[in-house]
Amino acid sequence: MLQLEPNLIADLVGKDLIAFGTGGLGKIAIPYLAQEPDIKVIGVTNSRVSVVDAGTFLNTGLPIRSLDTWAKQRPDATILLCVVKKNVETSWAACEAAGFRKIMVVPFDLVEMLQTLYNPSFLPTGHPMLYMMCMANELREVHRASFAEFKGCHRGQTVAVVATGPSLNYYSQVKGVPHIGVNASFLKEDIHLDYYFLRHYEPEWTEKLKDYDFVKFFSRVEVTERRVPEDRFPEYVIEENNARRFFPGEPFDEFYTDITSYPLMGGYTVAFQAIQFAIFTRPKRLLLIGCDCARNGHFNGVEMVDSWQPVERYVSKWLSGYQKLKAFAERFYPDMEIISVNPVGLKGLFHDMYTESWLNAYPEWDRLECEIFDPAEFEEQ
């Protein structure tokens, strides 16, 4: 059986779990969880079982009992919802009505891994190995076409990655420095981008993007696009924007030195794809702008909204990704300095610097302990 990566199941360790859901997702996830020595799954249920003893689940040996029965026998247990996103709300309510107070959803990244790699029926062909080989070939061809010409193109320069956290509002663009934006950053009037990454298809954005002449990279995620068809970029949109393609790496989130052959770091935010591209251009200094890594909304006032997992769950994933970035850079690019401008959730991780406008807006911050970010010191001709 597959040995799951510790970080994928960390939230499940130390809990007495009752798996709720015996459909497609449950049939994928529960058998793997049941064989994990660090995971304690004591039984299975769903909304349709109404008897005390309904046998065992697949070949796991786990007893299947009604939700009410489990509530009487193990009211202290944690319900693990192994259901698709559209059924989470009703399943959660049913478990609460039965008396359970500890309820969680099976980790999204675990589901991604199992569905992507270990469920052949999820793949669009009867030959999963052939399909995966074709995908690997496509990734290499796409990434060589998209990225090869940019290898080392900004060697010795400063490069900025522009994300969309509220701290972006306190940054004035440094002249002469290439800026790599993501998502809505291109809409900020006083920011001019040289490169741009977009992970999910947003029709309104792509329509506006046609009027911008920076280099654009749009994602190509075969498995996600099959499950959520509306997330796939139509070919005419790619053509109208003269966009290049890229593959993000979820559920395996790692940095690689050669992005012409490997996927870009996933990390559940497009900022990591932009950052890995920035490193590929070999700057001496990398500025992180608007990379707040916090649940504090966006620069344009749009709030963050929970989707499959609570936003706090994603924030922890983002922080883990930035920690991987730090370790990766220290090992392979010790000649590159990473500067976090107006850090929020990243405070203390990289070289922290603060703009005057930030410190003016937050007088409670001790100026004597804050290094000032002076754009003039980073300007390049």
Side-chain angles (χ1 to χ4, degrees), residues 40-249:
K40 185 179 179 182
V41 182
I42 60 178
V44 180
T45 189
N46 63 33
S47 58
R48 298 182 301 278
V49 175
S50 59
V51 296
V52 174
D53 184 359
T56 58
F57 183 67
L58 299 180
N59 62 348
T60 64
L62 295 172
I64 304 176
R65 295 168 183 161
S66 71
L67 194 58
D68 290 336
T69 298
W70 280 122
K72 294 175 183 177
Q73 294 180 352
R74 294 301 305 270
D76 59 330
T78 298
I79 292 290
L80 179 65
L81 299 181
C82 299
V83 297
V84 295
K85 180 179 178 180
K86 66 179 182 180
N87 294 333
V88 167
E89 185 176 351
T90 55
S91 299
W92 193 298
C95 294
E96 282 189 330
F100 286 100
R101 294 297 174 261
K102 302 175 184 177
I103 306 171
M104 61 186 302
V105 181
V106 64
F108 174 75
D109 44 2
L110 174 63
V111 172
E112 284 282 280
M113 185 196 70
L114 294 176
Q115 286 187 323
T116 303
L117 300 179
Y118 298 97
N119 181 21
S121 65
F122 188 72
L123 301 176
T125 175
H127 305 282
M129 290 304 297
L130 175 61
Y131 170 77
M132 297 304 289
M133 291 170 62
C134 292
M135 286 292 293
N137 286 332
E138 182 184 359
L139 185 152
R140 184 174 63 176
E141 292 182 3
V142 165
H143 276 209
R144 285 183 176 178
S146 294
F147 300 128
E149 68 183 273
F150 300 109
K151 183 176 182 179
C153 68
H154 295 306
R155 184 178 300 275
Q157 296 179 255
T158 298
V159 171
V161 170
V162 184
T164 59
S167 67
L168 175 59
N169 289 319
Y170 302 95
Y171 168 77
S172 296
Q173 184 160 4
V174 180
K175 298 179 181 178
V177 168
H179 282 61
I180 307 169
V182 302
N183 292 341
S185 62
F186 77 100
L187 296 173
K188 198 168 190 309
E189 294 182 355
D190 55 350
I191 295 293
H192 173 77
L193 301 178
D194 300 276
Y195 308 94
Y196 175 81
F197 281 77
L198 185 59
R199 175 72 177 271
H200 302 289
Y201 174 47
E202 298 285 349
E204 182 179 353
W205 287 353
T206 54
E207 181 64 25
K208 294 178 180 178
L209 281 166
K210 292 190 299 183
D211 298 328
Y212 294 80
D213 60 359
F214 41 67
V215 180
K216 304 161 193 171
F217 300 94
F218 294 166
S219 74
R220 170 80 168 88
V221 192
E222 174 68 18
V223 174
T224 301
E225 291 169 354
R226 283 178 53 77
R227 187 165 62 255
V228 188
E230 62 270 21
D231 207 29
R232 181 166 189 156
F233 289 85
E235 290 302 309
Y236 79 89
V237 170
I238 300 168
E239 295 167 358
E240 288 179 343
N241 282 277
N242 193 28
R244 302 164 185 245
R245 305 306 300 266
F246 71 89
F247 285 78

